[in-house]
């Protein structure tokens, strides 16, 4: 790991230690293997909070943060340390089958974490008297309950006897405090998100060129994902939506296996992850290469909401005010087009909010409803948000003229809040209807 990355994760651990205070201990478990079927596992993916604090990508590991210090024996000497990483023991046979292990001996040099031990030492600490002197334990409860392998063996007796081992101790899930920290991105993180966004944007140009009637949704999905991986994206940021026609009106459409018809739109909500950081993009394309009159009316209303909301983003502005602005523009647009009698009914057709924070997670990292004790609504420099208005008309909406039914449009960009305004991190991806038509028709002529 390079110096800059080590310093980033160290700064996160130090900040978290300050937040939790000297009478607390934090134990944050990394992920373990997850079974897919019989003896096949899913590809290993580190827990994001654990990654945020360590950058360590091996399974079966845990980080302990002790702001008040804890005594450890290292090289036969007693030291007081504030952080210990517990890792898998080195094992030549297992490493031949499953990949190299860092080993506790190399943690300090490779990861810059103060101290390291093998996992069985964590078991002794947790199941002995180690916790008794602390008044609070911060732990990733939701994730701990899903652990497998050797970490499950360690945490099961611990969880079962917690009220005997340390009955006085307050137990706090780490996700809220860490989630709040994660809302303000550092320069290091912004560069990772930008890289993810750039890979995704480039892929959309390839996908756009390939859209044509009689292809299948999965043809387009495969082009995007080929491109992400080819250019170093290490994962998809989320399961993609590649939705032709009315499929776009299913918010979590995930089949991506339907035939694409000439007069339909294709809504693509897909993006790459890069070094654990996500981007999140949606564009909507006419499958024929040209919008119908009705598609264009809806498209332009959504585009207006997208652009006007982005223009308003700067520190101090409320995210809810941006949401309200988006709703107003969508409602006004539909009202003027004669598609909405009462503007209050806009939610029936716009369905979702205007956006969310992104970062290590696509929906990053604290549920909005849980952010009650601080003013999260007010945007701050270092926030990265999506702006993604949409309108959706199913065939069931008999109050809407037939030619508008089956239309679903969403346009989504990733926006960095800066000191004085904002930067559209996905701004290199065209979104004006005429630009899209030009790009798609030009490519069709070359065919
Ligand atoms: N792709 C998930 C979202 O737009 O929220
Ligand atoms: Mn989104
Ligand atoms: Mn999205």
């Amino acid at each position: 790991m390079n110096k800059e990355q080590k310093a980033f994760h160290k700064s996160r651990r130090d900040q978290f230690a300050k937040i939790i205070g000297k009478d607390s201990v934090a134990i944050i478990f990394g992920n373990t293997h997850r079974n897919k079927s019989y003896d096949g596992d899913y590809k290993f993916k580190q827990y994001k909070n654990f990654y945020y604090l360590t950058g360590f990508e091996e399974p079966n590991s845990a980080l302990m943060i002790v702001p008040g210090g804890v005594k450890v024996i290292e090289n036969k000497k007693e030291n007081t340390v504030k952080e210990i990483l517990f890792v898998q023991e080195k094992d030549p046979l297992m490493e031949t089958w499953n990949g190299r292990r860092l080993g506790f001996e190399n943690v300090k040099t490779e990861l810059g974490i103060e101290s390291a031990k093998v996992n069985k030492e964590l078991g002794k600490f947790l199941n002995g008297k180690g916790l008794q002197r602390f008044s609070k334990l911060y732990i990733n409860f939701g994730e701990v309950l899903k652990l497998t392998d050797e970490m499950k063996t360690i945490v099961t007796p611990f969880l079962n006897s917690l009220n005997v081992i340390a009955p006085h101790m307050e137990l706090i899930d780490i996700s809220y405090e860490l989630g709040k920290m994660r809302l303000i991105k550092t320069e290091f993180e912004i560069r990772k998100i930008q890289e993810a966004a750039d890979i995704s944007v480039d892929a959309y140009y390839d996908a756009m060129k390939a859209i044509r009637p009689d292809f299948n949704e999965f043809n387009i999905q495969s082009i995007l994902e080929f491109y992400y991986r080819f250019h170093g994206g290490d994962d998809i940021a989320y399961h993609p939506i590649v939705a032709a026609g009315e499929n776009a009106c299913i918010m979590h459409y995930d089949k991506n296996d339907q035939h694409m018809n000439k007069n339909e739109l294709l809504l693509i909500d897909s993006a790459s992850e890069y070094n654990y950081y996500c981007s999140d993009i949606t564009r909507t394309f006419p499958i024929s290469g040209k919008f119908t009159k009705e598609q264009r009316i809806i498209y332009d209303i959504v585009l207006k909401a997208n652009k006007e909301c982005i223009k308003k983003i700067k520190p101090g502005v409320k995210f809810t005010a941006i949401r309200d602005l988006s709703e107003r523009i969508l409602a006004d647009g539909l009202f003027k087009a004669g598609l909405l009698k009462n503007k209050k009914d806009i939610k029936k057709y716009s369905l979702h909010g205007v956006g969310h924070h992104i970062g290590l997670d696509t929906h990053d990292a604290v549920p909005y409803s849980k952010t009650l004790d601080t003013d999260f609504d007010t945007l701050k420099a270092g926030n990265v948000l999506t702006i993604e208005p949409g309108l959706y008309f199913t065939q069931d909406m008999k109050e809407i003229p037939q030619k508008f039914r089956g239309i679903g449009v969403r346009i989504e960009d990733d926006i960095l809040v800066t000191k004085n305004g904002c930067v559209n991190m996905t701004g290199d991806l065209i979104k004006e209807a005429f630009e899209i038509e030009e790009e798609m028709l030009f490519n069709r002529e070359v065919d």
Side-chain angles (χ1 to χ4, degrees):
M1 184 183 292
N2 68 28
K3 231 162 116 187
E4 188 198 13
Q5 189 175 356
K6 271 185 208 166
F8 165 72
H9 296 297
K10 169 103 181 87
S11 72
R12 304 300 86 196
R13 294 194 295 278
D14 289 350
Q15 191 174 329
F16 189 59
K18 233 185 241 160
I19 291 169
I20 66 175
K22 289 196 169 165
D23 58 346
S24 300
V25 57
I27 302 173
I28 301 112
F29 284 83
N31 204 354
T32 52
H33 289 293
R34 245 151 252 295
N35 184 256
K36 188 170 185 185
S37 179
Y38 186 43
D39 65 350
D41 286 345
Y42 288 103
K43 183 177 183 305
F44 178 74
K45 182 84 181 188
Q46 191 53 277
Y47 282 149
K48 299 282 178 108
N49 279 330
F50 181 83
Y51 183 82
Y52 187 65
L53 294 169
T54 65
F56 190 44
E57 294 188 58
E58 253 181 49
N60 297 303
S61 188
L63 173 71
M64 187 187 294
I65 297 180
V66 191
V70 62
K71 289 198 172 81
V72 293
I73 309 286
E74 289 176 319
N75 298 326
K76 300 191 181 147
K77 271 199 340 229
E78 190 177 86
N79 289 330
T80 300
V81 299
K82 294 187 174 174
E83 49 187 39
I84 308 173
L85 188 71
F86 295 91
V87 298
Q88 305 176 106
E89 220 162 330
K90 281 193 81 64
D91 179 333
L93 179 64
M94 292 304 283
E95 288 179 50
T96 299
W97 284 94
N98 298 327
R100 299 281 169 234
R101 296 177 175 187
L102 181 64
F104 79 96
E105 309 87 334
N106 301 311
V107 163
K108 202 171 189 166
T109 10
E110 179 53 29
L111 305 174
I113 296 175
E114 202 181 358
S115 166
K117 293 192 169 298
V118 292
N119 285 331
K120 67 172 180 272
E121 297 296 324
L122 176 63
K124 282 191 210 159
F125 178 87
L126 289 180
N127 295 307
K129 295 188 171 160
L131 285 173
Q132 286 184 353
R133 71 186 173 90
F134 299 102
S135 56
K136 292 183 204 156
L137 168 63
Y138 284 81
I139 190 166
N140 47 335
F141 263 117
E143 293 171 333
V144 163
L145 297 173
K146 296 183 218 149
L147 295 174
T148 62
D149 305 332
E150 66 174 303
M151 296 319 247
K152 184 171 182 180
T153 316
I154 288 172
V155 297
T156 306
F158 162 65
L159 293 175
N160 285 343
S161 54
L162 200 50
N163 60 350
V164 179
I165 296 169
H168 62 286
M169 212 167 45
E170 191 183 343
L171 303 174
I172 306 167
D173 196 284
I174 57 156
S175 59
Y176 182 48
E177 289 303 340
L178 275 178
K180 284 197 290 185
M181 274 174 65
R182 283 173 48 182
L183 292 182
I184 306 288
K185 273 69 184 178
T186 69
E187 286 297 322
F188 173 82
E189 294 182 286
I190 291 164
R191 282 208 309 280
K192 302 286 178 193
I193 299 170
Q194 186 63 65
E195 186 64 33
D198 290 346
I199 291 171
S200 306
V201 164
D202 287 349
Y204 268 73
Y205 280 99
D206 274 9
M208 196 185 320
K209 284 178 209 164
I211 294 170
R212 64 205 63 215
D214 298 335
F215 257 24
N216 193 292
E217 294 164 347
F218 56 59
N219 296 129
I220 304 304
Q221 178 185 351
S222 66
I223 290 166
L224 289 162
E225 290 175 14
F226 166 80
Y227 196 97
Y228 299 157
R229 190 65 188 129
F230 193 82
H231 289 274
D234 28 37
D235 203 347
I236 48 173
Y238 49 91
H239 190 81
I241 296 168
V242 182
E246 200 187 13
N247 294 336
C249 303
I250 302 168
M251 288 306 98
H252 294 154
Y253 178 70
D254 64 358
K255 287 196 164 59
N256 303 337
D257 63 355
Q258 295 300 300
H259 186 84
M260 290 159 40
N261 298 309
K262 188 164 172 232
N263 292 322
E264 292 172 342
L265 294 173
L266 184 72
L267 183 153
I268 303 177
D269 185 346
S270 162
S272 181
E273 193 177 285
Y274 179 76
N275 287 178
Y276 276 73
Y277 282 86
C278 298
S279 51
D280 185 2
I281 299 179
T282 308
R283 288 290 185 270
T284 309
F285 303 101
I287 290 168
S288 68
K290 189 153 177 53
F291 290 94
T292 65
K293 188 167 136 250
E294 291 75 16
Q295 289 166 350
R296 178 72 187 259
I297 289 169
I298 302 304
Y299 188 89
D300 283 345
I301 296 170
V302 175
L303 182 63
K304 181 171 182 198
N306 167 288
K307 291 197 312 191
E308 294 299 317
C309 287
I310 293 172
K311 269 192 215 156
K312 287 276 185 284
I313 291 179
K314 63 177 183 187
V317 169
K318 304 252 186 220
F319 207 3
T320 42
I322 304 285
R323 180 201 62 199
D324 295 345
L325 173 65
S326 172
E327 268 180 22
R328 262 199 320 276
I329 295 170
L330 297 176
D332 286 349
L334 289 190
F335 183 79
K336 279 191 199 128
L339 296 168
L340 190 65
K341 285 196 182 67
N342 187 342
K343 290 185 189 175
K344 287 206 179 85
D345 293 336
I346 184 60
K347 281 201 173 66
K348 180 173 181 192
Y349 309 107
S350 67
L351 291 171
H352 51 79
V354 74
H356 50 85
H357 290 261
I358 59 166
L360 282 169
D361 283 294
T362 303
H363 291 187
D364 207 62
V366 183
Y368 205 78
S369 58
K370 297 243 160 58
T371 54
L372 300 174
D373 65 342
T374 319
D375 182 14
F376 278 95
D377 199 20
T378 305
L379 301 181
K380 295 173 190 67
N383 289 158
V384 183
L385 333 149
T386 67
I387 292 295
E388 49 178 309
L391 287 172
Y392 312 91
F393 302 96
T394 62
Q395 295 295 348
D396 294 339
M397 295 172 171
K398 301 292 182 222
E399 73 282 13
I400 297 293
Q402 175 63 56
K403 283 191 168 171
F404 286 91
R405 287 188 237 148
I407 291 178
V409 175
R410 182 164 62 253
I411 305 171
E412 176 174 32
D413 285 300
D414 299 342
I415 312 299
L416 167 68
V417 184
T418 58
K419 235 160 71 188
N420 301 313
C422 70
V423 170
N424 186 347
M425 301 176 89
T426 49
D428 286 344
L429 184 54
I430 54 173
K431 59 187 173 185
E432 296 293 334
F434 77 87
E435 291 175 313
I436 286 174
E437 287 182 345
E438 258 176 36
E439 187 80 13
M440 293 181 76
L441 285 175
F442 172 77
N443 287 299
R444 189 125 321 128
E445 278 158 21
V446 177
D447 273 351

